[in-house]
Amino acid sequence: MTTMPDQSNHPKVGLFVTCLADMFRPSVAFATVKLLEAAGCQVEVPEKQTCCGQPAYNSGDRATTAEIARQTIEAFDGYEYVVGPSGSCIGMLHYYPDLFEQNDPWKIRALDLKARAFEITQFLTDIVNFDQIVAQYEGTITYHDSCSGLRQLGVKQQPRQLLSKVDNLTLNEMEEAETCCGFGGTFCVKYPDISNRMVSNKTQYISDSGADTLVGGDLGCLLNMAGKLKREGKSIQARHVVEILAGMTDTPAIGEAEYELAKAL
Amino acid sequence: MQIKSPQFKENARIALHNVELQEALGQFKHGFPVNRANAIKRLPEFDDLRDAGRDLKNHIIQNLDIYLEQFESKVIENGGHVHWCRTAEDANKTILDICKQVDAKTVTKGKSMVSEEINLNDYLEANGVQPVETDLGEYILQLRGDHPSHIIAPAIHLNVEDVSEAFHTHHKRPKTGDPQALMKEAREVLRKQFVSADVGITGANFLVAETGSTIIVTNEGNGDLTQTLPKTHIVITSIEKVVPTLEDMSLFLRLLARSATGQEFTVYNTLSSGPRRAEDQDGPENFHVVLVDNGRSEMVGTEFQEMLRCIRCSSCMNHCPVYGAVGGHSYGWVYPGPMGSVLTPKMIGIDKAAHLPNASTSCGKCEEVCPVRIPLPKMMRHWREKEFEKHLTPKAVRFGIAGWAYFAKRPALYRWLARSSAWFMQKMAGKKGRINKLPLAGGWTDWRDMPAPQGKTFMDQWQAKQKAGE
Ligand code: SF4
């Protein structure tokens, strides 16, 4: 007797790559794909996607944001889920319905996209109940809760729950893990010295935690904190949570070179 | 107060280099926020109270005219007077007229941010009436010719030496660095003022429509003396402070004290319900309420309406990492922090206050701690939209966004841009894995390294893999 493959167990997922993963750290997007496939999803990467539109949205340019929103909505038409390795970019997708008037047909489509869009750790934990993490990490990490993921999407326990399945990994919580790192998109270049004050507080808490690795779920924040840690000459590494969960830590950490990886191993 | 909001960036830079201020701000963040968190742990229904507070405020704003008129008629019934003032000038003039009627030379004042908003002290002084602040923090600021940097802890930016210096100069007494002794000294000086003042001016935290009462909450009790000793008591406040009943008032008092200082209840909660009656032991002979609008009614029905829910608890600024970095004076006007970044543009104009709603990472902490759930980041973004619509957004930002958008709307071109940027940055980084000086990104690389891209973009790698049939 043959059975039909159960579609619901192999949901079709459109990967929202996000600009920073695309450009700075493709390994984060590959790790996301690996985790999604391990969870039984069929992953595709829609060609039509670009940026979520945050730079325009945060600068008050609603018209441009709406144009980009329409493009993103179309790009992800037909996928059961839309998943990305960033609370901030997925959070932006959740703002799309606010961009359209009540009787605009795009509003319904935006609401529909919102209902299907998830941050990766949230998706694995809350939607597909996946916890078969096969990975190990020799080290002590500390976790930074990025603002949009935490406050907009409610990502807090999910990454920690998944990280608890990683062999040999220890989590040391830092003080003020939920305080903004000062990245804030264009904020960090528009108000650089205020941003610097904020990220300096953060790197202090990170090193006080005694961890050797900083882990987080948003590349913007991670580039900011890793960049500061490096400038301060600290040896703490920074990695996106999916790299650890997917067991893909064979690439140099954020802002590090090959030889530093060799040193660390 | 001189408007310094357009110089926000310079103000902030100076604040970041002010060692004493940074020390004060560092201590401050372990005070109120910690106390608030503990107070909330002890009250499991706190979040339900916040919902109730939000809903009740929404109802009040919808029916503002009704409750204000009810309040007015009750005050009149109690023998008091209500003055409606559309602008700051109206309010200043009204208060001066009342002072002149009773031939006042000196007025004592309880803390009132609305009086800061309308610049009352300068106006009175210029017209021959001497105001004396009686809240300890405000009193210190007045001696120093300074202004509040926080809405409930006005002198948070000062340290004991600053206070000692100010007292020594003005009281002509020996210097002391002992906070208790300084407090005692202030009390002695202020006692005389309380007794000799002709008029007492206080603010109000709430106005109760059903009884025509005003209430102020303080931890020093100075408000009580300000309003009971002089013959005339003037309450200066703004129209959104009205609540329907005493019961409603107590809901907000519970939210206010916990959100502000982490107290279960503020120490002194003083209600005023009109002039002294025949059977009363004390109280003023004349009772006036000056209701200031100053742009608030214009917010009703707009995207900023929800801001009128604000009960001035200061929780948003106590938790704001930007306020925590630059302090209240950097904001350059009366109201600092997230609530100020929404209110100030309304009151002094977005052209002057544009930095305020922009100098935010939208981290959302303020909204998380606001007792009446005001979506402050959303309101700040609305100001950015207004700024953009009015073509006030700086040219560099406008061009930057337009250039970026041109690519973002064309996926193939966007791929090319990502590919070339990654390539360029990799070249810059060489073998180091990071860049310490990047052209056009000085804001970033002045303070931190820029991690280098790994290599080919994900999109290019993915497509290559698809083609290879992996
Ligand atoms: S906006 Fe909210 S948190 Fe800020 S002062 Fe007003 S009520 Fe308090």
Side-chain angles (χ1 to χ4, degrees):
Chain A
M1 200 176 85
T2 53
T3 48
M4 291 291 288
D6 182 358
Q7 269 301 313
S8 63
N9 278 337
H10 300 280
K12 201 169 129 197
V13 172
L15 176 73
F16 190 54
V17 180
T18 74
C19 307
L20 294 178
D22 182 39
M23 193 175 126
F24 279 92
R25 224 165 154 75
S27 62
V28 166
F30 281 114
T32 309
V33 173
K34 187 174 168 191
L35 288 165
L36 286 169
E37 287 179 345
C41 304
Q42 316 168 50
V43 184
E44 285 179 23
V45 183
E47 291 264 333
K48 219 182 151 185
Q49 64 177 303
T50 60
C51 171
C52 63
Q54 243 178 112
Y57 189 61
N58 287 334
S59 306
D61 184 353
R62 257 181 110 93
T64 301
T65 318
E67 272 182 77
I68 291 171
R70 284 192 287 266
Q71 176 178 297
T72 311
I73 291 168
E74 278 180 342
F76 288 96
D77 245 353
Y79 292 97
E80 207 171 325
Y81 298 106
V82 179
V83 179
S86 158
S88 164
C89 308
I90 295 295
M92 183 64 223
L93 267 46
H94 284 221
Y95 286 132
Y96 285 179
D98 301 344
L99 297 165
F100 303 105
E101 298 297 328
Q102 208 52 48
N103 44 16
D104 187 336
W106 283 101
K107 184 160 193 118
I108 312 224
R109 296 182 68 180
L111 283 165
D112 176 61
L113 177 71
K114 178 179 172 179
R116 293 180 284 128
F118 298 93
E119 184 271 345
I120 178 70
T121 62
Q122 183 183 40
F123 179 75
L124 293 174
T125 315
D126 302 346
I127 305 301
V128 288
N129 287 321
F130 174 77
D131 64 355
Q132 307 297 305
I133 298 294
V134 187
Q136 61 160 347
Y137 192 76
E138 306 289 337
T140 304
I141 67 154
T142 193
Y143 198 88
H144 166 71
D145 297 289
S146 286
C147 300
S148 307
L150 173 72
R151 298 195 183 87
Q152 198 192 345
L153 304 177
V155 176
K156 175 78 190 179
Q157 285 318 317
Q158 299 91 329
R160 289 174 174 78
Q161 198 176 313
L162 293 167
L163 285 165
S164 72
K165 310 272 176 193
V166 176
D167 290 337
N168 302 336
L169 177 144
T170 315
L171 171 65
N172 271 8
E173 294 286 0
M174 70 176 111
E175 208 183 313
E176 295 202 19
E178 294 184 1
T179 300
C180 179
C181 72
F183 173 64
T186 53
F187 173 86
C188 65
V189 285
K190 280 205 258 174
Y191 300 95
D193 37 8
I194 304 177
S195 172
N196 176 55
R197 173 81 254 154
M198 291 163 73
V199 73
S200 306
N201 292 345
K202 203 76 209 183
T203 50
Q204 186 62 50
Y205 288 134
I206 293 167
S207 43
D208 289 350
S209 76
D212 51 51
T213 309
L214 163 71
V215 179
D218 253 290
L219 269 176
C221 318
L222 287 166
L223 292 171
N224 180 38
M225 291 180 285
K228 189 70 197 178
L229 287 166
K230 292 296 147 207
R231 180 63 59 93
E232 290 173 335
K234 296 202 167 102
S235 63
I236 298 165
Q237 299 202 328
R239 286 195 183 273
H240 194 287
V241 62
V242 293
E243 297 175 50
I244 309 239
L245 295 176
M248 289 168 66
T249 46
D250 48 353
T251 50
I254 298 170
E256 295 198 344
E258 291 288 347
Y259 64 85
E260 280 163 309
L261 178 72
K263 228 172 30 189
L265 288 178
Chain B
M1 173 177 182
Q2 208 192 331
I3 294 171
K4 294 196 185 122
S5 305
Q7 294 91 45
F8 174 83
K9 274 191 160 187
E10 289 76 25
N11 305 342
R13 191 165 309 133
I14 294 166
L16 285 162
H17 288 103
N18 181 337
V19 180
E20 279 139 44
L21 174 69
Q22 289 301 321
E23 219 164 81
L25 290 168
Q27 284 171 9
F28 171 68
K29 88 176 172 189
H30 300 292
F32 289 160
V34 176
N35 297 345
R36 173 192 177 271
N38 291 334
I40 284 165
K41 258 186 242 148
R42 294 191 297 265
L43 189 73
E45 69 267 36
F46 187 72
D47 271 339
D48 295 335
L49 291 184
R50 291 171 74 194
D51 290 339
R54 174 199 55 204
D55 296 347
L56 180 54
K57 273 278 177 184
N58 285 345
H59 164 82
I60 294 167
I61 296 162
Q62 292 294 332
N63 300 281
L64 202 53
D65 48 344
I66 297 172
Y67 289 119
L68 284 170
E69 279 171 16
Q70 191 190 349
F71 171 77
E72 180 189 35
S73 59
K74 277 287 164 192
V75 172
I76 295 171
E77 212 179 293
N78 297 341
H81 307 272
V82 175
H83 309 265
W84 301 82
C85 299
R86 185 159 287 282
T87 63
E89 290 79 348
D90 292 350
N92 281 329
K93 226 180 117 349
T94 304
I95 292 172
L96 181 66
D97 284 348
I98 301 170
C99 290
K100 286 206 167 135
Q101 274 166 32
V102 296
D103 204 17
K105 299 279 176 299
T106 316
V107 305
T108 43
K109 281 184 70 213
K111 198 178 123 352
S112 152
M113 290 310 288
V114 176
S115 84
E116 299 282 344
E117 178 186 322
I118 66 170
N119 222 348
L120 178 64
N121 285 6
D122 287 351
Y123 186 86
L124 289 179
E125 257 189 272
N127 286 284
V129 179
Q130 182 56 48
V132 180
E133 294 288 352
T134 65
D135 170 270
L136 183 59
E138 288 276 0
Y139 176 66
I140 296 162
L141 296 179
Q142 194 183 22
L143 293 184
R144 289 171 51 94
D146 200 352
H147 291 280
S149 66
H150 187 274
I151 63 171
I152 69 162
I156 197 80
H157 56 287
L158 300 178
N159 58 30
V160 181
E161 286 89 87
D162 297 324
V163 179
S164 159
E165 192 65 51
F167 280 14
H168 175 65
T169 313
H170 291 270
H171 298 163
K172 314 265 182 263
R173 296 192 191 182
K175 233 182 189 170
T176 167
D178 172 22
Q180 288 301 328
L182 288 166
M183 192 114 82
K184 200 163 154 259
E185 189 174 322
R187 206 170 272 148
E188 278 169 33
V189 176
L190 282 172
R191 270 299 138 121
K192 287 189 210 119
Q193 303 282 9
F194 281 126
V195 180
S196 64
D198 309 295
V199 173
I201 301 178
T202 65
N205 291 90
F206 301 102
L207 307 170
V208 185
E210 70 170 349
T211 58
S213 313
T214 72
I215 180 166
I216 59 165
V217 306
T218 72
N219 281 316
E220 296 171 10
N222 62 303
D224 293 27
L225 296 176
T226 307
Q227 67 193 64
T228 43
L229 293 179
K231 281 201 176 129
T232 302
H233 177 201
I234 304 174
V235 178
I236 166 147
T237 189
S238 49
I239 53 172
E240 82 284 10
K241 302 270 170 73
V242 72
V243 299
T245 65
L246 286 168
E247 180 96 28
D248 298 330
M249 177 193 76
S250 56
L251 164 67
F252 290 118
L253 290 178
R254 296 177 76 193
L255 285 169
L256 177 63
R258 287 180 175 84
S259 302
T261 54
Q263 290 165 290
E264 243 101 79
F265 225 62
T266 315
V267 178
Y268 297 91
N269 292 260
T270 312
L271 283 142
S272 299
S273 309
R276 124 202 254 164
R277 293 157 299 186
E279 65 274 26
D280 288 343
Q281 304 239 332
D282 56 15
E285 284 165 26
N286 313 303
F287 180 71
H288 296 268
V289 182
V290 176
L291 286 177
V292 182
D293 182 338
N294 207 17
R296 288 166 174 81
S297 59
E298 283 168 19
M299 291 163 81
V300 179
T302 71
E303 62 268 65
F304 300 109
Q305 174 169 320
E306 291 179 90
M307 194 59 216
L308 293 172
R309 292 206 295 262
C310 177
I311 59 172
R312 306 289 192 267
C313 71
S314 80
S315 190
C316 55
M317 64 196 75
N318 299 344
H319 292 81
C320 173
V322 174
Y323 179 97
V326 302
H329 283 163
S330 298
Y331 294 78
W333 199 60
V334 176
Y335 298 110
M339 56 83 81
S341 298
V342 179
L343 274 181
T344 306
K346 177 73 200 127
M347 294 183 173
I348 68 170
I350 182 65
D351 52 329
K352 292 195 201 74
H355 274 303
L356 275 41
N358 277 290
S360 158
T361 61
S362 303
C363 79
K365 188 72 192 178
C366 49
E367 180 173 356
E368 184 188 297
V369 297
C370 174
V372 284
R373 300 195 190 278
I374 299 175
L376 292 149
K378 186 166 110 188
M379 316 252 110
M380 286 186 240
R381 211 184 46 252
H382 285 322
W383 276 122
R384 298 181 193 186
E385 285 165 4
K386 286 259 178 284
E387 189 195 7
F388 195 85
E389 281 164 23
K390 292 188 176 167
H391 299 273
L392 293 167
T393 309
K395 268 214 184 79
V397 177
R398 285 190 89 86
F399 286 150
I401 293 294
W404 161 86
Y406 182 85
F407 287 94
K409 286 186 249 171
R410 293 167 179 79
L413 269 187
Y414 201 70
R415 299 281 104 83
W416 173 85
L417 182 67
R419 188 180 303 135
S420 352
S421 311
W423 179 85
F424 173 74
M425 289 172 81
Q426 265 224 306
K427 283 277 157 296
M428 293 279 307
K431 286 206 164 70
K432 286 210 314 278
R434 53 187 176 265
I435 305 158
N436 48 35
K437 204 155 184 56
L438 194 61
L440 300 177
W444 183 288
T445 51
D446 283 352
W447 299 107
R448 62 218 122 184
D449 291 347
M450 177 67 90
Q454 284 173 322
K456 287 208 170 82
T457 65
F458 171 78
M459 281 304 205
D460 283 354
Q461 294 186 49
W462 181 260
Q463 270 158 11
K465 274 181 193 257
Q466 297 298 98
K467 272 210 197 96
E470 276 177 40

